[in-house]
């Protein structure tokens, strides 16, 4: 482990703890709830951090696949145990479901052959768990309306599935990581600029939304936009770009023997999963997501890295939340 990695993790802990404290103060979350949750949050962030740092992740890959599967399953259960003890809400049934789901994802490519049909079934299983919000009942009632503990489950599910694909399935050519390189930033921003007029025109034509100026002052808006961008970049965009561009787009392109066909197929799939946004079937949002997916796919293809498409994706979502 390099000195920079040793320095970075405590810095991440401190930044998340401070951000969590400020958030709890702003949302009126009692201090005891913050103290009960922060340990589990920092533990989950630690596992999430290891996932995104290649030098750390490759150390895990030196273990036998079964050993990796066991570690991933145990790591999935640990944040729930810590959080549930803090809130006196521990349930054996919930722990059992978490272990079962994490074990299914962790041992999928150990138990099953590495074939296209099982790759697609893995992605379908991973998406189904997220779309059905299965972690909401597993983690139990929210201790506070602004403190949804099932978010820990969602983060756990993302990193367990990513670990399974990268460290056990050994998927290559993804360009996985948290921080884009300079070239990836440029490519991501370029395709965002190209995307905006296209998506804005379609949104206007189908009556989806109208832009508006943000309220609350530019200083507050700037802080909100910055926090939204990095939150989306490192969670939503990271997970979605990994599965749709890093995996599906590559697989479809190889199966169809055409990168362009793979890009279009992955974009259509990306749009379809957004049919469930707020109210099913939200075809307007699905259409816009599919069109945006084309630009995300172009950014990925140009950079050969999801870090570029993550930038485009995060800029789009930030723009949406601030100006629409």
């Amino acid at each position: 482990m390099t000195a920079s990695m040793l320095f970075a993790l405590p810095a991440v802990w401190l930044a998340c703890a401070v951000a969590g404290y400020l958030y709890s103060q702003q949302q009126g979350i009692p201090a005891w709830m913050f103290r009960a949750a922060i340990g589990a949050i920092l533990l989950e962030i630690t596992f999430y951090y290891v996932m995104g740092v290649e030098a750390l992740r490759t150390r895990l890959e030196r273990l036998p696949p079964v050993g990796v599967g066991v570690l991933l399953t145990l790591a999935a259960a640990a944040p729930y145990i810590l959080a549930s003890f803090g809130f006196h809400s521990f349930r054996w049934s919930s722990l059992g479901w978490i272990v079962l789901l994490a074990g299914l994802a962790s041992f999928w490519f150990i138990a099953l052959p590495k074939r296209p049909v099982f790759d697609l079934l893995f992605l379908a299983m991973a998406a189904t768990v997220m779309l059905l919000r299965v972690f909401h009942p597993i983690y139990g009632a929210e201790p506070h309306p602004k403190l949804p503990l099932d978010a820990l489950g969602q983060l756990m599910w993302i990193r367990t599935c990513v670990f399974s694909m990268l460290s056990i399935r050994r998927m290559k050519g993804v360009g996985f990581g948290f921080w884009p390189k300079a070239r990836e930033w440029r490519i991501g921003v370029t395709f965002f600029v190209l995307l905006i007029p296209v998506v804005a025109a379609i949104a206007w034509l189908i009556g989806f939304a109208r832009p508006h100026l943000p309220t609350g002052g530019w200083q507050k808006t700037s802080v909100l936009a910055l926090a939204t961008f990095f939150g989306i970049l490192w969670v939503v965009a990271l997970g979605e770009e990994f599965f749709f561009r890093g995996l599906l787009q590559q697989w479809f392109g190889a199966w169809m023997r055409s990168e362009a066909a793979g890009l279009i197929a992955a974009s259509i799939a990306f749009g379809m999963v957004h049919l469930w946004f707020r109210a099913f079937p939200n075809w307007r949002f699905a259409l816009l997501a599919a069109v945006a997916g084309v630009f995300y796919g172009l950014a990925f293809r140009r950079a050969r890295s999801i870090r570029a498409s993550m930038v485009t994706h995060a800029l789009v979502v930030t723009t949406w939340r601030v100006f629409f």
Side-chain angles (χ1 to χ4, degrees), residues 72-293:
L72 292 180
T73 305
L74 293 175
Y80 167 75
I81 293 172
L82 195 57
S84 61
F85 280 4
F87 288 99
H88 306 288
S89 60
F90 177 81
R91 294 181 297 175
W92 283 106
S93 60
S94 294
L95 179 61
W97 276 110
I98 291 171
V99 169
L100 177 64
L101 289 169
L104 178 63
S106 301
F107 284 88
W108 185 280
F109 294 110
I110 297 172
L112 297 172
K114 296 176 181 179
R115 296 177 183 171
V117 62
F118 296 115
D119 290 338
L120 287 177
L121 286 173
F122 178 84
L123 292 192
M125 178 269 297
T128 299
V129 169
M130 291 295 285
L131 289 173
L132 295 181
R133 299 187 64 200
V134 299
F135 292 107
H136 186 72
I138 288 174
Y139 276 73
E142 297 174 353
H144 189 278
K146 297 296 183 178
L147 188 61
L149 290 181
D150 63 312
L152 287 172
Q154 295 170 15
L155 287 176
M156 176 277 292
W157 187 243
I158 292 171
R159 54 133 168 129
T160 302
C161 292
V162 169
F163 264 123
S164 183
M165 289 299 311
L166 294 178
S167 301
I168 299 176
R169 178 65 174 83
R170 302 296 177 94
M171 185 67 188
K172 304 298 182 183
V174 175
F176 189 85
F178 289 135
W179 193 256
K181 299 175 182 177
R183 176 174 177 268
E184 294 162 346
W185 279 108
R186 289 195 299 270
I187 292 172
V189 171
T190 297
F191 280 98
F192 166 73
V193 172
L194 295 173
L195 174 155
I196 285 299
V198 176
V199 171
I202 295 173
W204 181 80
L205 287 171
I206 64 177
F208 179 73
R210 296 288 187 273
H212 60 76
L213 292 177
T215 58
W218 284 104
Q219 184 176 6
K220 181 179 179 180
T221 300
S222 299
V223 172
L224 175 63
L226 192 63
T228 300
F229 174 79
F230 284 107
I232 296 298
L233 182 74
W234 291 329
V235 181
V236 176
L238 180 76
E240 293 186 354
E241 292 308 303
F242 174 74
F243 286 108
F244 284 97
R245 257 56 67 177
L247 302 182
L248 275 183
Q249 184 169 319
Q250 289 200 83
W251 289 343
F252 285 152
W255 299 336
M256 299 176 181
R257 299 182 181 180
S258 168
E259 284 194 358
L263 187 155
I264 295 299
S267 300
I268 292 172
F270 183 67
M272 289 178 64
V273 302
H274 288 80
L275 282 168
W276 282 265
F277 181 77
R278 293 184 180 171
F280 179 86
N282 192 340
W283 67 267
R284 290 181 177 86
F285 193 75
L287 173 62
L288 291 171
V291 172

Side-chain angles (χ1 to χ4, degrees), residues 8-71:
L9 186 55
V12 170
W13 287 337
L14 179 61
C16 291
V18 171
Y21 175 76
L22 294 175
Y23 174 81
S24 68
Q25 293 292 299
Q26 182 186 45
Q27 300 298 330
I29 298 172
W32 75 267
M33 288 188 182
F34 170 76
R35 291 193 297 269
I38 192 62
I41 293 170
L42 294 181
L43 181 60
E44 179 56 48
I45 286 170
T46 301
F47 294 143
Y48 205 79
Y49 175 83
V50 172
M51 172 194 71
V53 179
E54 186 175 5
L56 298 177
R57 196 176 63 246
T58 51
R59 291 196 173 198
L60 180 69
E61 294 169 3
R62 297 172 188 172
L63 298 173
V66 172
V68 176
V70 170
L71 285 178

